[in-house]
Amino acid sequence: MTQRIKILTGYLNKTMTLNRTKYFIVFMLLLSVKDILSQDLKLWYTRPASKWVEALPVGNGRIGAMIFGGIENDRIQFNEETLWTGGPRSYSRPGAYKYLDTIRQLLFAGKQKEAEALAEKEFMGLKSFEGERSSWINKVTVDKKFAGENFDDSKWPTMQVPSWDGWEMVGFEGLDGAIWLRTSFMLPDDWIDKELVLDLNRIRDHDYTYINGKLVGSQQDNEGRKYKIAKNDLHKGKNTIAILVLNFFDKGGIYGYKDTTKHIGIYPINNEATKISLNGQWKYFVQNDDPPPVGAYQASYQPFGDLNLIFSNTAGVTNYKRELDISNAVASTSYSVDGVNYKREYFVSQPNQVMAINLTASKRSSISFEISLSSPHKNFAIKKINATTIALSVQVKNGALQGQSYLEVKANGGVIKNGKGKLIIEHADEATVFVTAGTSYKNYKDVSEDPSLSCITALKSIKSKTYQQIKTAHVKEYQAFFNTFSIDLGKSENETLPTDQRLEKFARSNDPSFVALYLQYGRYLLISSSRPGTRPANLQGIWNDLLNPPWGSKYTTNINLEMNYWPAEALNLSPMHEPLFQMLKELSQTGKQTAKDHYNAPGWVLHHNTDLWRGTAPINAANHGIWVTGGAWLCRHLWAHYLFTQDKIFLKNTAYPIMKEAALFFNSFLIKDPKTGWLISTPSNSPEQGGLVAGPSMDHQVIRGLFNNVIAASQLLNLDSIFRNTLKEKIKQIAPNQIGRYGQLQEWIQDVDDTTNKHRHISHLWAVHPGNEINWDDTPELMKAARQSLLYRGDAATGWSLGWKINCWARFKDGDHAFRLIQMLLSPSKSDAGSYPNLFDAHPPFQIDGNFGGAAGIGELILQSHTKFIDILPALPAALSNGEVKGYCARGGFVFDIKWSNGKLQELTVTSKTGQPLLLRYNNKVVNIHTAKNIVYKFDASLNKL
Ligand code: FUC
């Protein structure tokens, strides 16, 4: 951790390692945008956030927070990027490779189900420790007094029942265990002789259901429940229902129906129409909240805690405004009460590693509030550190990690009291709250760090600093990244609207500046979730409020993690790529064991997910978890970083060793298809459909890409000529892209595509984007087929899938089609894909990849550099016919300023950072020039050099 803190706090100071120095130099070179364009760079609202996806995200790559901006109670939910479940352990299954050949043979013989069954049994990675359930169940079911009709539950609190998608949705985040739920109903007189049906629908995970103390049903699954109730078990008047729900993990409780207009209830057999609804507040009692651990293939990212600021003088608030200014990464809440203007500012500082919340008012002595820390973790404690500081400590359930957070308040004027776990500030002129957080994570193999160390270091670093000094340093550090690029797509009337209303209207308005804002917001989110020296942005960046977040809020590598980094190079945030490269270094270590255990192969392999502990083995299920090209795809980012920066030292020391080891794996893994004679990837799948197969097209595209890049890199570095020749030979033998009977690009080696398939993954289009082997110049027929495949797939999709399709339509050079998808992405998400009020991408639920894919896709409309040409305005939509960008990066080490109007180029300026030859194309005109390092070249509207 000490090393990590040094990196984090000292990114710009002298403790930087050589590696960091190099990034620093790169980013200083990128500071080429002299004048920042006039831009619309605020998200703002006229109401506090009532939901998490309305709150505004701030972060420094390590600490993230969501600002609700409440008037009486300002909730700030926060995270620290290394607080996860689980701990260091081995994820791969020793000896799995012994089944590899049989699985392959079964697939070759067309026996997919048998292959999947064998793989499920013998080839998946190892889960974490699974506790013993039956003795726990025996223990919690012994005492049946809570089931009794006459049991007095009047003192029990109540819970809303049912709660579709879990009791977490009605305020019981993190509740697992044995929980009793009780209610009653009045039996209508004419039902007395009737047999009834108790319809509860789904319950998670296991229930014991009693009527008047008698067990009437018990089911051990997550499916629907309809229990028959004999007439003798009922009586006139009030009847009692008591249900013991056992929930082991994740979501729990009586779910009822997804269609919430349909109630759970009780009715006579064959007469559902007379159902008595049982929806309502039920009494509940947590009998035991410590169920045995459930084995998990990988760990989940965890929330850390909440800060609650309570204000009393809030009657008659006017002028309320909540905003996030992404030009300086500062959020604020402001309002007036009784003629006094109040303002709160919030940011997370990278140089000082603290979150700061500054409270001011237009009248002296007006700042009074209480502040406390809490946490959704069951195991948390608050203690006093000194007169102005309290600390929160958390212990993750089912995991090794502990966390510490310190909260310190500094005030001018007034008094600060510290008692009963909270700080009370009275009549101050101004106050600043500082929050820090750290965990016991040292690295993926070691959890022995002192979690308070980073808190103490951070608070020490601000000891003699004023709020203004801390803010100035924060803004300077942030803007060094953010200001490298600017975009102006024109002004629009909707800029005067709050962001949520603007989002509502976007698809029906002419609001191009909202597109520019969305792109810049993507850059803001990347800087805020992936600063050099931190961990990469996960499925939710660094923002997560749930103990059981969707897909573990981890790293899915069959599209999602890669998409997070699509904007990094082109949108001039190259240094933000560094956390991914550090992770790749680690994955190339853990992935060696998986290559050996599962494939008896050299090199390293990563399947479709990873986590803080750098798991690389197959997870979830054989039909989609056995997918071998996660690591190979990620290697493309190493190569892209080289192409954009031309940094040969990076190529030699960081990129090439990882890429070469990945290629070594595939050199051994590819085998000859007995039918076609081609080298193919098997077993694998086309994410995440079609089951376990031999030879999905995407794998071959990714592997060819990797081999080509390793060949090019080894040539540049003058290394490994023998291996290079081997790869050259192998590439020729890998199964080629094929056009199928519907004119489509085949997703699999056999021509089995279904033209009505609307699956969100468009994996076989990988070669169009993010790959480049299929393009209009070199492979027009395949490009046509790929385009046809995307037409079959259709437009509607999840958030990230829209992001991917935008990039593909840009590559097909159809900007108007891409723009239609941008409109879909920038639509308010109800229960479908789009954006939440805070412009977080909705898969749904929230997943950050769509934000990044969308931002990168907007960029691809303006410039593309994935072929030998650098294409200027290759896919400009009619809706974005006027605009200007500054600081757009292209492969070859070029930085572009481009101005266009009425859909036509006006001015073009190129800075050559490393003196590579430049091959420009605009409107079919091609210009080829030699460039010199750090020289600026200007062109007119017809690409004539000025
Ligand atoms: C992949 C996708 C899902 C989701 C998950 C996190 O498995 O297929 O849609 O995005 O990752």
Side-chain angles (χ1 to χ4, degrees):
M1 174 68 99
T2 320
Q3 177 58 18
R4 200 156 65 89
I5 297 285
K6 264 191 198 157
I7 292 166
L8 293 166
T9 56
Y11 176 59
L12 300 180
N13 75 26
K14 296 186 191 77
T15 61
M16 284 187 303
T17 61
L18 268 180
N19 199 27
R20 312 286 157 164
T21 314
K22 186 185 61 210
Y23 281 103
F24 179 57
I25 292 165
V26 170
F27 113 77
M28 290 310 282
L29 280 172
L30 302 184
L31 291 181
S32 57
V33 180
K34 285 144 249 119
D35 335 295
I36 300 306
L37 298 167
S38 110
Q39 297 173 89
D40 163 29
L41 293 170
K42 282 185 181 155
L43 279 68
W44 64 278
Y45 308 81
T46 53
R47 280 184 315 243
S50 58
K51 295 192 189 106
W52 191 82
V53 287
E54 291 172 11
L56 292 168
V58 290
N60 66 357
R62 186 175 74 89
I63 299 170
M66 297 293 283
I67 317 289
F68 283 67
I71 297 169
E72 294 87 16
N73 177 358
D74 195 355
R75 175 182 175 210
I76 296 160
Q77 183 272 321
F78 67 98
N79 292 91
E80 201 276 355
E81 63 165 356
T82 61
L83 195 69
W84 288 62
T85 60
R89 70 177 177 90
S90 171
Y91 280 64
S92 34
R93 180 183 291 267
Y97 75 90
K98 290 181 198 145
Y99 301 89
L100 178 63
D101 195 44
T102 316
I103 295 168
R104 284 175 161 169
Q105 295 315 319
L106 287 169
L107 288 174
F108 286 142
K111 296 183 175 167
Q112 187 189 51
K113 288 289 151 254
E114 290 88 335
E116 284 176 357
L118 178 63
E120 196 70 51
K121 194 157 163 266
E122 308 288 358
F123 206 77
M124 303 308 290
L126 300 179
K127 288 186 179 179
S128 61
F129 170 73
E130 171 106 26
E132 202 278 307
R133 267 188 199 181
S134 55
S135 54
W136 183 81
I137 295 177
N138 288 341
K139 193 172 85 185
V140 296
T141 50
V142 165
D143 190 351
K144 298 185 176 59
K145 70 169 180 277
F146 304 118
E149 184 176 10
N150 298 321
F151 175 78
D152 177 12
D153 61 18
S154 59
K155 300 239 162 54
W156 285 11
T158 61
M159 169 189 297
Q160 173 67 36
V161 171
S163 47
W164 180 260
D165 239 7
W167 46 37
E168 289 77 3
M169 300 299 146
V170 292
F172 295 87
E173 175 59 21
L175 180 60
D176 299 321
I179 288 89
W180 283 93
L181 289 157
R182 287 174 58 96
T183 193
S184 62
F185 66 96
M186 297 298 290
L187 189 76
D189 288 348
D190 59 341
W191 288 13
I192 281 187
D193 289 325
K194 291 185 175 144
E195 206 180 351
L196 305 187
V197 175
L198 176 61
D199 174 11
L200 301 162
N201 204 36
R202 289 185 62 188
I203 295 180
R204 281 192 61 178
D205 300 305
H206 184 168
D207 70 304
Y208 293 84
T209 297
Y210 298 85
I211 295 232
N212 299 325
K214 182 169 178 208
L215 186 69
V216 293
S218 175
Q219 223 170 283
Q220 274 196 55
D221 58 36
N222 298 337
E223 304 306 318
R225 273 102 168 135
K226 273 188 183 157
Y227 296 136
K228 276 196 191 143
I229 319 293
K231 56 188 177 201
N232 293 342
D233 295 334
L234 299 155
H235 54 69
K236 203 171 155 51
K238 186 175 152 192
N239 289 261
T240 302
I241 301 174
I243 304 177
L244 173 62
V245 176
L246 307 185
N247 177 228
F248 296 96
F249 170 71
D250 203 358
K251 296 165 184 174
I254 302 178
Y255 264 46
Y257 288 91
K258 185 172 188 183
D259 171 3
T260 50
T261 60
K262 187 164 180 196
H263 288 199
I264 58 169
I266 190 155
Y267 54 86
I269 281 183
N270 301 328
N271 198 359
E272 193 174 348
T274 60
K275 175 159 77 183
I276 295 176
S277 167
L278 292 172
N279 280 28
Q281 293 292 323
W282 289 38
K283 296 279 184 173
Y284 78 90
F285 172 68
V286 180
Q287 182 187 330
N288 181 306
D289 62 356
D290 200 15
V294 173
Y297 279 116
Q298 287 190 357
S300 298
Y301 182 45
Q302 294 292 282
F304 201 115
D306 290 273
L307 224 66
N308 285 292
L309 287 80
I310 311 287
F311 300 85
S312 48
N313 176 27
T314 54
V317 162
T318 56
N319 295 329
Y320 177 89
K321 191 171 183 187
R322 172 170 74 91
E323 73 174 33
L324 172 65
D325 185 345
I326 61 170
S327 77
N328 59 7
V330 177
S332 65
T333 303
S334 55
Y335 57 86
S336 311
V337 177
D338 288 337
V340 181
N341 302 326
Y342 293 87
K343 185 163 189 187
R344 305 172 204 154
E345 280 190 344
Y346 326 70
F347 61 84
V348 188
S349 156
Q350 194 281 340
N352 293 105
Q353 291 297 312
V354 287
M355 169 159 56
I357 304 151
N358 176 250
L359 298 95
T360 52
S362 60
K363 191 173 144 212
R364 295 192 67 163
S365 312
S366 302
I367 304 291
S368 298
F369 63 101
E370 283 182 20
I371 182 163
S372 58
L373 281 164
S374 63
S375 175
H377 292 278
K378 194 176 108 195
N379 217 335
F380 83 86
I382 308 285
K383 71 172 181 197
K384 179 175 173 176
I385 300 290
N386 60 37
T388 55
T389 313
I390 54 175
L392 159 75
S393 52
V394 300
Q395 167 68 59
V396 164
K397 192 175 159 191
N398 294 335
L401 289 168
Q402 294 169 352
Q404 276 276 335
S405 166
Y406 278 35
L407 182 160
E408 183 182 19
V409 178
K410 291 186 182 181
N412 295 339
V415 286
I416 302 174
K417 295 178 188 160
N418 186 345
K420 294 195 183 139
K422 62 188 175 193
L423 293 163
I424 301 167
I425 294 84
E426 287 170 353
H427 309 300
D429 298 333
E430 176 184 351
T432 307
V433 178
F434 294 105
V435 184
T436 66
T439 75
S440 48
Y441 172 90
K442 206 169 202 166
N443 59 51
Y444 75 93
K445 293 185 259 192
D446 186 347
V447 291
S448 65
E449 190 53 87
D450 170 2
S452 62
L453 183 65
S454 66
C455 302
I456 293 164
T457 313
L459 291 184
K460 226 186 230 168
S461 83
I462 56 163
K463 205 166 178 139
S464 56
K465 293 204 169 86
T466 64
Y467 170 72
Q468 280 310 327
Q469 286 171 327
I470 298 163
K471 184 178 169 188
T472 305
H474 155 69
V475 173
K476 190 170 165 215
E477 183 268 351
Y478 170 76
Q479 289 185 339
F481 299 121
F482 187 76
N483 287 356
T484 55
F485 173 94
S486 60
I487 179 164
D488 181 351
L489 294 174
K491 292 275 135 198
S492 98
E493 270 177 23
N494 291 5
E495 283 177 33
T496 59
L497 294 174
T499 306
D500 44 352
Q501 289 178 35
R502 207 170 164 190
L503 177 68
E504 288 280 346
K505 291 198 167 165
F506 174 73
R508 286 168 284 118
S509 314
N510 176 23
D511 189 3
S513 79
F514 200 46
V515 178
L517 176 66
Y518 189 82
L519 178 149
Q520 287 287 39
Y521 188 50
R523 296 182 71 244
Y524 167 81
L525 292 173
L526 191 62
I527 304 170
S528 305
S529 60
S530 184
R531 288 282 216 297
T534 67
R535 265 47 28 212
N538 66 41
L539 284 171
Q540 300 188 177
I542 43 169
W543 299 280
N544 165 41
D545 63 330
L546 302 174
L547 292 166
N548 292 301
W551 293 286
S553 189
K554 52 188 189 296
Y555 301 97
T556 305
T557 56
N558 62 16
I559 173 67
N560 317 86
L561 175 60
E562 292 87 352
M563 185 176 278
N564 284 0
Y565 287 88
W566 287 355
E569 298 295 334
L571 301 186
N572 215 332
L573 291 177
S574 194
M576 306 306 137
H577 231 153
E578 188 267 351
L580 185 70
F581 303 149
Q582 179 58 30
M583 182 198 237
L584 270 165
K585 241 186 221 169
E586 296 164 6
L587 289 168
S588 70
Q589 291 155 9
T590 54
K592 270 204 163 91
Q593 193 62 44
T594 305
K596 194 161 175 280
D597 287 340
H598 288 251
Y599 303 96
N600 197 22
W604 69 282
V605 64
L606 164 65
H607 293 82
H608 93 300
N609 266 277
T610 187
D611 60 6
L612 183 70
W613 313 110
R614 305 308 184 232
T616 48
I619 70 162
N620 294 0
N623 65 354
H624 68 279
I626 302 173
W627 174 76
V628 286
T629 42
W633 185 347
L634 283 165
C635 281
R636 191 171 177 84
H637 287 253
L638 295 164
W639 180 241
H641 182 73
Y642 165 72
L643 290 180
F644 276 89
T645 60
Q646 299 290 313
D647 181 349
K648 266 206 185 151
I649 297 172
F650 168 82
L651 184 65
K652 183 164 181 230
N653 297 340
T654 304
Y656 183 71
I658 300 171
M659 291 163 62
K660 180 186 162 190
E661 290 287 317
L664 275 169
F665 171 79
F666 289 102
N667 183 41
S668 146
F669 170 79
L670 289 171
I671 61 161
K672 208 177 217 182
D673 175 18
K675 286 203 185 89
T676 61
W678 289 324
L679 285 182
I680 61 164
S681 165
T682 178
S684 193
N685 72 90
S686 193
E688 300 175 5
Q689 55 167 337
L692 194 65
V693 296
S697 304
M698 173 199 227
D699 277 10
H700 303 142
Q701 298 169 356
V702 174
I703 296 165
R704 256 195 307 273
L706 173 71
F707 283 6
N708 275 321
N709 297 340
V710 170
I711 290 166
S714 77
Q715 230 143 12
L716 276 163
L717 300 170
N718 204 12
L719 292 169
D720 302 320
S721 61
I722 296 170
F723 185 52
R724 189 190 315 148
N725 289 335
T726 309
L727 294 184
K728 279 183 179 165
E729 275 313 302
K730 285 242 159 136
I731 281 187
K732 292 185 209 150
Q733 301 166 45
I734 297 175
N737 290 307
Q738 299 178 82
I739 299 173
R741 62 194 151 146
Y742 303 112
Q744 87 284 13
L745 183 68
Q746 283 182 205
E747 183 155 0
W748 292 275
I749 202 160
Q750 301 87 359
D751 189 0
V752 292
D753 296 75
D754 171 359
T755 56
T756 64
N757 178 357
K758 304 288 177 206
H759 202 274
R760 60 193 179 284
H761 283 267
I762 50 170
S763 307
H764 49 319
L765 303 195
W766 190 92
V768 174
H769 187 282
N772 64 351
E773 90 181 352
I774 299 183
N775 60 66
W776 286 129
D777 295 309
D778 305 320
T779 52
E781 288 309 312
L782 287 171
M783 193 68 164
K784 237 168 75 190
R787 186 176 176 281
Q788 185 58 55
S789 286
L790 193 53
L791 285 171
Y792 287 137
R793 241 1 178 244
D795 291 345
T798 59
W800 61 256
S801 182
L802 289 174
W804 198 349
K805 290 174 183 176
I806 291 167
N807 283 275
C808 284
W809 283 113
R811 293 266 167 109
F812 293 133
K813 304 207 167 140
D814 187 341
D816 289 333
H817 200 140
F819 194 77
R820 288 212 294 278
L821 292 159
I822 292 172
Q823 287 175 317
M824 291 166 76
L825 190 60
L826 288 178
S827 290
S829 164
K830 307 290 182 212
S831 51
D832 53 351
S835 299
Y836 292 109
N838 63 2
L839 301 189
F840 267 176
D841 162 58
H843 176 289
F846 163 52
Q847 218 173 272
I848 206 160
D849 38 23
N851 285 97
F852 296 132
I858 297 163
E860 288 272 321
L861 303 173
I862 298 165
L863 185 141
Q864 293 174 15
S865 66
H866 60 287
T867 65
K868 62 177 182 263
F869 301 102
I870 294 179
D871 280 306
I872 311 299
L873 305 178
L876 202 61
L880 303 179
S881 53
N882 297 300
E884 185 170 7
V885 294
K886 292 187 173 197
Y888 196 111
C889 298
R891 292 167 184 82
F894 301 104
V895 184
F896 282 79
D897 297 349
I898 310 171
K899 192 172 184 175
W900 67 97
S901 65
N902 295 322
K904 294 203 165 58
L905 179 67
Q906 296 298 313
E907 289 165 24
L908 184 71
T909 305
V910 190
T911 305
S912 172
K913 289 187 309 191
T914 62
Q916 294 298 307
L918 176 65
L919 188 58
L920 281 180
R921 179 165 62 180
Y922 172 64
N923 227 355
N924 293 326
K925 179 169 177 185
V926 174
V927 169
N928 193 351
I929 59 167
H930 289 288
T931 71
K933 195 171 165 170
N934 291 333
I935 301 296
V936 178
Y937 301 85
K938 285 188 189 298
F939 299 86
D940 68 10
S942 313
L943 227 53
N944 297 311
K945 195 159 148 246
L946 300 173

